[in-house]
Structures are given as C-alpha cells and as structure tokens.
Short mmCIF file of all heavy atoms in Angstrom, two decimals:
data_model
loop_
_atom_site.label_atom_id
_atom_site.label_comp_id
_atom_site.label_asym_id
_atom_site.label_seq_id
_atom_site.Cartn_x
_atom_site.Cartn_y
_atom_site.Cartn_z
N ILE A 194 0.84 -1.19 0.00
CA ILE A 194 0.00 0.00 0.00
C ILE A 194 0.88 1.25 0.00
O ILE A 194 1.81 1.37 0.80
CB ILE A 194 -0.99 0.01 1.18
CG1 ILE A 194 -1.85 1.27 1.16
CG2 ILE A 194 -0.28 -0.17 2.51
CD1 ILE A 194 -3.01 1.23 2.12
N GLU A 195 0.58 2.14 -0.93
CA GLU A 195 1.28 3.42 -1.04
C GLU A 195 0.31 4.53 -0.64
O GLU A 195 -0.83 4.56 -1.09
CB GLU A 195 1.75 3.65 -2.48
CG GLU A 195 2.35 5.03 -2.72
CD GLU A 195 2.56 5.32 -4.20
OE1 GLU A 195 2.19 4.47 -5.03
OE2 GLU A 195 3.07 6.42 -4.52
N VAL A 196 0.76 5.44 0.22
CA VAL A 196 -0.05 6.58 0.63
C VAL A 196 0.76 7.85 0.46
O VAL A 196 1.92 7.92 0.90
CB VAL A 196 -0.54 6.45 2.08
CG1 VAL A 196 -1.27 7.73 2.52
CG2 VAL A 196 -1.45 5.25 2.25
N VAL A 197 0.17 8.84 -0.18
CA VAL A 197 0.75 10.17 -0.31
C VAL A 197 -0.25 11.16 0.28
O VAL A 197 -1.43 11.13 -0.08
CB VAL A 197 1.04 10.53 -1.78
CG1 VAL A 197 1.65 11.94 -1.87
CG2 VAL A 197 1.96 9.50 -2.42
N LEU A 198 0.22 12.00 1.19
CA LEU A 198 -0.64 13.02 1.79
C LEU A 198 -0.04 14.39 1.50
O LEU A 198 1.01 14.75 2.03
CB LEU A 198 -0.75 12.79 3.30
CG LEU A 198 -1.76 13.66 4.05
CD1 LEU A 198 -3.16 13.48 3.49
CD2 LEU A 198 -1.74 13.33 5.54
N ASN A 199 -0.68 15.11 0.59
CA ASN A 199 -0.25 16.47 0.25
C ASN A 199 -0.91 17.44 1.22
O ASN A 199 -2.14 17.54 1.28
CB ASN A 199 -0.63 16.80 -1.19
CG ASN A 199 0.09 15.91 -2.18
OD1 ASN A 199 1.30 15.73 -2.09
ND2 ASN A 199 -0.63 15.34 -3.13
N ASN A 200 -0.10 18.15 1.97
CA ASN A 200 -0.58 18.89 3.13
C ASN A 200 -1.03 20.30 2.78
O ASN A 200 -0.44 20.98 1.94
CB ASN A 200 0.52 18.99 4.19
CG ASN A 200 1.27 17.69 4.36
OD1 ASN A 200 0.72 16.62 4.11
ND2 ASN A 200 2.51 17.76 4.78
N THR A 201 -2.06 20.75 3.47
CA THR A 201 -2.50 22.14 3.42
C THR A 201 -2.36 22.72 4.82
O THR A 201 -2.90 22.16 5.78
CB THR A 201 -3.97 22.26 2.96
OG1 THR A 201 -4.10 21.68 1.66
CG2 THR A 201 -4.40 23.72 2.91
N PHE A 202 -1.62 23.83 4.94
CA PHE A 202 -1.40 24.45 6.24
C PHE A 202 -2.29 25.69 6.38
O PHE A 202 -2.56 26.39 5.40
CB PHE A 202 0.07 24.83 6.40
CG PHE A 202 0.99 23.66 6.33
CD1 PHE A 202 1.81 23.46 5.22
CD2 PHE A 202 1.05 22.73 7.35
CE1 PHE A 202 2.66 22.38 5.14
CE2 PHE A 202 1.90 21.63 7.28
CZ PHE A 202 2.70 21.47 6.18
N TYR A 203 -2.70 25.97 7.63
CA TYR A 203 -3.53 27.14 7.93
C TYR A 203 -2.84 28.00 8.98
O TYR A 203 -2.31 27.48 9.97
CB TYR A 203 -4.91 26.71 8.45
CG TYR A 203 -5.81 26.12 7.39
CD1 TYR A 203 -5.70 24.77 7.03
CD2 TYR A 203 -6.75 26.89 6.73
CE1 TYR A 203 -6.53 24.22 6.07
CE2 TYR A 203 -7.58 26.35 5.76
CZ TYR A 203 -7.47 25.01 5.44
OH TYR A 203 -8.28 24.48 4.47
N ASN A 204 -2.86 29.30 8.77
CA ASN A 204 -2.32 30.26 9.73
C ASN A 204 -3.45 31.06 10.37
O ASN A 204 -4.40 31.46 9.68
CB ASN A 204 -1.33 31.22 9.06
CG ASN A 204 -0.03 30.52 8.68
OD1 ASN A 204 0.37 29.54 9.32
ND2 ASN A 204 0.63 31.02 7.66
N VAL A 205 -3.32 31.31 11.66
CA VAL A 205 -4.32 32.11 12.38
C VAL A 205 -4.18 33.57 11.96
O VAL A 205 -3.07 34.11 11.89
CB VAL A 205 -4.14 31.97 13.90
CG1 VAL A 205 -5.15 32.85 14.64
CG2 VAL A 205 -4.30 30.51 14.32
N VAL A 206 -5.30 34.22 11.67
CA VAL A 206 -5.30 35.63 11.28
C VAL A 206 -5.09 36.49 12.53
O VAL A 206 -5.78 36.31 13.54
CB VAL A 206 -6.62 36.00 10.59
CG1 VAL A 206 -6.64 37.49 10.26
CG2 VAL A 206 -6.83 35.17 9.34
N ASP A 207 -4.11 37.43 12.46
CA ASP A 207 -3.86 38.36 13.56
C ASP A 207 -4.88 39.49 13.50
O ASP A 207 -4.88 40.29 12.56
CB ASP A 207 -2.44 38.90 13.44
CG ASP A 207 -2.05 39.76 14.64
OD1 ASP A 207 -2.93 40.02 15.49
OD2 ASP A 207 -0.88 40.18 14.71
N MET A 208 -5.75 39.57 14.50
CA MET A 208 -6.82 40.57 14.51
C MET A 208 -6.63 41.63 15.58
O MET A 208 -7.57 42.37 15.92
CB MET A 208 -8.18 39.87 14.71
CG MET A 208 -8.61 39.01 13.54
SD MET A 208 -10.30 38.43 13.71
CE MET A 208 -10.57 37.71 12.09
N LYS A 209 -5.40 41.74 16.09
CA LYS A 209 -5.14 42.74 17.14
C LYS A 209 -5.41 44.15 16.64
O LYS A 209 -5.93 45.00 17.37
CB LYS A 209 -3.70 42.62 17.63
CG LYS A 209 -3.42 41.33 18.39
CD LYS A 209 -1.96 41.25 18.82
CE LYS A 209 -1.69 39.93 19.54
NZ LYS A 209 -0.24 39.80 19.90
N ASN A 210 -5.06 44.46 15.40
CA ASN A 210 -5.29 45.80 14.85
C ASN A 210 -6.76 46.11 14.70
O ASN A 210 -7.15 47.28 14.53
CB ASN A 210 -4.60 45.96 13.49
CG ASN A 210 -3.08 45.91 13.61
OD1 ASN A 210 -2.53 46.23 14.68
ND2 ASN A 210 -2.41 45.51 12.55
N LEU A 211 -7.61 45.07 14.74
CA LEU A 211 -9.05 45.26 14.64
C LEU A 211 -9.71 45.27 16.02
O LEU A 211 -10.94 45.30 16.13
CB LEU A 211 -9.68 44.15 13.78
CG LEU A 211 -9.15 44.05 12.34
CD1 LEU A 211 -9.75 42.84 11.65
CD2 LEU A 211 -9.48 45.32 11.56
N GLY A 212 -8.85 45.23 17.06
CA GLY A 212 -9.36 45.26 18.42
C GLY A 212 -9.97 43.95 18.87
O GLY A 212 -10.79 43.92 19.79
N LEU A 213 -9.59 42.84 18.23
CA LEU A 213 -10.16 41.55 18.55
C LEU A 213 -9.06 40.54 18.84
O LEU A 213 -7.93 40.66 18.36
CB LEU A 213 -11.01 41.03 17.38
CG LEU A 213 -12.22 41.86 16.97
CD1 LEU A 213 -12.81 41.31 15.68
CD2 LEU A 213 -13.28 41.86 18.07
N THR A 214 -9.40 39.56 19.65
CA THR A 214 -8.53 38.40 19.80
C THR A 214 -9.04 37.30 18.87
O THR A 214 -10.22 37.26 18.52
CB THR A 214 -8.54 37.89 21.24
OG1 THR A 214 -9.87 37.52 21.61
CG2 THR A 214 -8.02 38.95 22.20
N ASN A 215 -8.15 36.44 18.46
CA ASN A 215 -8.53 35.37 17.54
C ASN A 215 -7.95 34.07 18.06
O ASN A 215 -6.79 33.74 17.82
CB ASN A 215 -8.02 35.66 16.13
CG ASN A 215 -8.48 34.62 15.12
OD1 ASN A 215 -9.36 33.82 15.41
ND2 ASN A 215 -7.87 34.61 13.96
N ASP A 216 -8.76 33.36 18.81
CA ASP A 216 -8.31 32.11 19.41
C ASP A 216 -8.53 30.95 18.42
O ASP A 216 -9.37 30.08 18.63
CB ASP A 216 -9.07 31.86 20.70
CG ASP A 216 -8.54 30.64 21.46
OD1 ASP A 216 -7.38 30.25 21.18
OD2 ASP A 216 -9.28 30.09 22.29
N LYS A 217 -7.76 30.98 17.33
CA LYS A 217 -7.82 29.93 16.31
C LYS A 217 -9.23 29.74 15.76
O LYS A 217 -9.69 28.62 15.54
CB LYS A 217 -7.29 28.61 16.88
CG LYS A 217 -5.85 28.67 17.34
CD LYS A 217 -5.38 27.33 17.87
CE LYS A 217 -3.95 27.41 18.37
NZ LYS A 217 -3.49 26.13 18.95
N GLU A 218 -9.93 30.87 15.57
CA GLU A 218 -11.29 30.80 15.04
C GLU A 218 -11.36 31.22 13.57
O GLU A 218 -12.25 30.77 12.84
CB GLU A 218 -12.23 31.68 15.88
CG GLU A 218 -12.38 31.19 17.31
CD GLU A 218 -13.17 32.15 18.18
OE1 GLU A 218 -13.17 33.35 17.87
OE2 GLU A 218 -13.77 31.68 19.15
N VAL A 219 -10.45 32.09 13.15
CA VAL A 219 -10.38 32.49 11.75
C VAL A 219 -8.97 32.23 11.25
O VAL A 219 -8.00 32.77 11.80
CB VAL A 219 -10.75 33.98 11.56
CG1 VAL A 219 -10.68 34.35 10.08
CG2 VAL A 219 -12.15 34.27 12.11
N LEU A 220 -8.87 31.39 10.24
CA LEU A 220 -7.56 31.00 9.70
C LEU A 220 -7.58 31.13 8.19
O LEU A 220 -8.64 31.11 7.56
CB LEU A 220 -7.21 29.56 10.09
CG LEU A 220 -7.24 29.21 11.58
CD1 LEU A 220 -8.58 28.60 11.95
CD2 LEU A 220 -6.10 28.26 11.95
N VAL A 221 -6.41 31.25 7.60
CA VAL A 221 -6.30 31.31 6.15
C VAL A 221 -5.33 30.21 5.69
O VAL A 221 -4.33 29.93 6.36
CB VAL A 221 -5.80 32.69 5.65
CG1 VAL A 221 -6.83 33.74 5.92
CG2 VAL A 221 -4.47 33.05 6.30
N PRO A 222 -5.64 29.57 4.56
CA PRO A 222 -4.74 28.54 4.06
C PRO A 222 -3.46 29.14 3.50
O PRO A 222 -3.47 30.22 2.92
CB PRO A 222 -5.56 27.87 2.96
CG PRO A 222 -6.51 28.92 2.51
CD PRO A 222 -6.84 29.74 3.71
N VAL A 223 -2.36 28.44 3.69
CA VAL A 223 -1.08 28.83 3.08
C VAL A 223 -1.10 28.36 1.64
O VAL A 223 -1.22 27.16 1.36
CB VAL A 223 0.10 28.21 3.85
CG1 VAL A 223 1.41 28.57 3.17
CG2 VAL A 223 0.08 28.67 5.30
N GLU A 224 -1.02 29.29 0.70
CA GLU A 224 -1.20 28.94 -0.72
C GLU A 224 -0.07 28.07 -1.25
O GLU A 224 -0.29 27.12 -2.00
CB GLU A 224 -1.33 30.22 -1.56
CG GLU A 224 -2.57 31.04 -1.23
CD GLU A 224 -3.85 30.29 -1.54
OE1 GLU A 224 -3.83 29.42 -2.43
OE2 GLU A 224 -4.88 30.57 -0.90
N ALA A 225 1.17 28.40 -0.90
CA ALA A 225 2.31 27.63 -1.41
C ALA A 225 3.53 28.02 -0.59
O ALA A 225 3.58 29.11 -0.01
CB ALA A 225 2.55 27.95 -2.89
N PRO A 226 4.55 27.16 -0.51
CA PRO A 226 4.58 25.79 -1.06
C PRO A 226 3.83 24.82 -0.17
O PRO A 226 3.59 25.09 1.00
CB PRO A 226 6.08 25.49 -1.07
CG PRO A 226 6.61 26.25 0.10
CD PRO A 226 5.80 27.52 0.15
N TYR A 227 3.48 23.68 -0.75
CA TYR A 227 2.78 22.64 -0.01
C TYR A 227 3.78 21.64 0.56
O TYR A 227 4.83 21.40 -0.02
CB TYR A 227 1.80 21.90 -0.92
CG TYR A 227 0.72 22.76 -1.51
CD1 TYR A 227 0.77 23.15 -2.84
CD2 TYR A 227 -0.33 23.19 -0.73
CE1 TYR A 227 -0.23 23.95 -3.39
CE2 TYR A 227 -1.34 23.99 -1.26
CZ TYR A 227 -1.28 24.37 -2.60
OH TYR A 227 -2.26 25.15 -3.11
N GLY A 228 3.40 21.04 1.67
CA GLY A 228 4.17 19.92 2.17
C GLY A 228 3.62 18.63 1.59
O GLY A 228 2.50 18.58 1.09
N SER A 229 4.41 17.57 1.66
CA SER A 229 3.96 16.28 1.16
C SER A 229 4.67 15.17 1.90
O SER A 229 5.88 15.24 2.12
CB SER A 229 4.23 16.16 -0.34
OG SER A 229 3.77 14.92 -0.84
N CYS A 230 3.91 14.16 2.30
CA CYS A 230 4.47 12.98 2.95
C CYS A 230 4.06 11.75 2.15
O CYS A 230 2.90 11.63 1.75
CB CYS A 230 3.95 12.84 4.38
SG CYS A 230 4.31 14.27 5.43
N ALA A 231 4.99 10.84 1.94
CA ALA A 231 4.70 9.64 1.16
C ALA A 231 5.40 8.44 1.77
O ALA A 231 6.51 8.56 2.30
CB ALA A 231 5.13 9.83 -0.29
N CYS A 232 4.73 7.30 1.71
CA CYS A 232 5.33 6.07 2.22
C CYS A 232 4.71 4.88 1.50
O CYS A 232 3.52 4.88 1.19
CB CYS A 232 5.08 5.95 3.73
SG CYS A 232 5.82 4.49 4.48
N THR A 233 5.53 3.87 1.23
CA THR A 233 5.06 2.60 0.68
C THR A 233 5.38 1.50 1.67
O THR A 233 6.52 1.38 2.13
CB THR A 233 5.71 2.30 -0.68
OG1 THR A 233 5.40 3.35 -1.60
CG2 THR A 233 5.20 0.99 -1.25
N LEU A 234 4.37 0.72 2.02
CA LEU A 234 4.51 -0.32 3.03
C LEU A 234 3.95 -1.62 2.48
O LEU A 234 2.91 -1.62 1.80
CB LEU A 234 3.75 0.09 4.29
CG LEU A 234 4.04 -0.65 5.59
CD1 LEU A 234 5.47 -0.43 6.03
CD2 LEU A 234 3.09 -0.17 6.68
N GLY A 235 4.64 -2.72 2.74
CA GLY A 235 4.18 -4.00 2.22
C GLY A 235 4.44 -5.14 3.18
O GLY A 235 5.18 -5.00 4.15
N ARG A 236 3.82 -6.26 2.87
CA ARG A 236 4.02 -7.44 3.69
C ARG A 236 5.38 -8.07 3.37
O ARG A 236 5.79 -8.14 2.21
CB ARG A 236 2.90 -8.45 3.44
CG ARG A 236 1.51 -7.89 3.72
CD ARG A 236 0.45 -8.96 3.58
NE ARG A 236 -0.88 -8.37 3.60
CZ ARG A 236 -1.53 -8.02 4.71
NH1 ARG A 236 -0.95 -8.25 5.89
NH2 ARG A 236 -2.73 -7.48 4.66
N LYS A 237 6.05 -8.57 4.40
CA LYS A 237 7.37 -9.15 4.22
C LYS A 237 7.35 -10.32 3.26
O LYS A 237 8.22 -10.47 2.41
CB LYS A 237 7.92 -9.59 5.58
CG LYS A 237 9.34 -10.11 5.53
CD LYS A 237 9.83 -10.50 6.94
CE LYS A 237 11.26 -11.03 6.88
NZ LYS A 237 11.74 -11.42 8.23
N LYS A 238 6.31 -11.16 3.36
CA LYS A 238 6.23 -12.34 2.50
C LYS A 238 6.13 -11.96 1.04
O LYS A 238 6.60 -12.68 0.17
CB LYS A 238 5.05 -13.21 2.90
CG LYS A 238 3.70 -12.56 2.72
CD LYS A 238 2.57 -13.50 3.13
CE LYS A 238 1.19 -12.87 2.90
NZ LYS A 238 0.09 -13.78 3.27
N PHE A 239 5.52 -10.79 0.75
CA PHE A 239 5.37 -10.36 -0.63
C PHE A 239 6.73 -9.97 -1.20
O PHE A 239 7.09 -10.32 -2.31
CB PHE A 239 4.41 -9.18 -0.71
CG PHE A 239 4.15 -8.72 -2.13
CD1 PHE A 239 3.19 -9.34 -2.90
CD2 PHE A 239 4.88 -7.67 -2.68
CE1 PHE A 239 2.95 -8.92 -4.20
CE2 PHE A 239 4.64 -7.25 -3.98
CZ PHE A 239 3.69 -7.88 -4.74
#
C-alpha cells in the first residue's frame, strides 16, 4: 500500500489591529509551497 498526503497548512489571522482576539477561530490557508508525505509499506512475504 502506497499513501501520499499532500498537506494544506492554515495560519491564524492576527486581529489585534481590529481590536479583537482570535483564538484559532479564523484562519487562512497557506497557498504555497505545499508539504507532502509519502510512504510505501508491504508485507514481508510479498
């Protein structure tokens, strides 16, 4: 079995200048670059 997970990261929006706190309630996705993790795993007998 091969699995590849292409990651999307989110950053918390800083709302201090708007007079608000933001406890991880409003986030924006990081457009690029993306992270990626991949692994192939198999049975020993195979």
Side-chain angles (χ1 to χ4, degrees):
I194 180 169
E195 174 191 3
V196 174
V197 180
L198 188 58
N199 296 312
N200 318 333
T201 301
F202 299 108
Y203 288 84
N204 289 332
V205 178
V206 177
D207 186 354
M208 292 189 171
K209 292 178 182 177
N210 294 335
L211 301 174
L213 299 172
T214 60
N215 184 13
D216 186 20
K217 299 180 182 178
E218 295 173 334
V219 180
L220 305 95
V221 293
V223 178
E224 296 296 334
Y227 299 105
S229 181
C230 302
C232 182
T233 300
L234 195 64
R236 302 185 190 279
K237 184 178 180 181
K238 64 179 182 179
F239 183 85

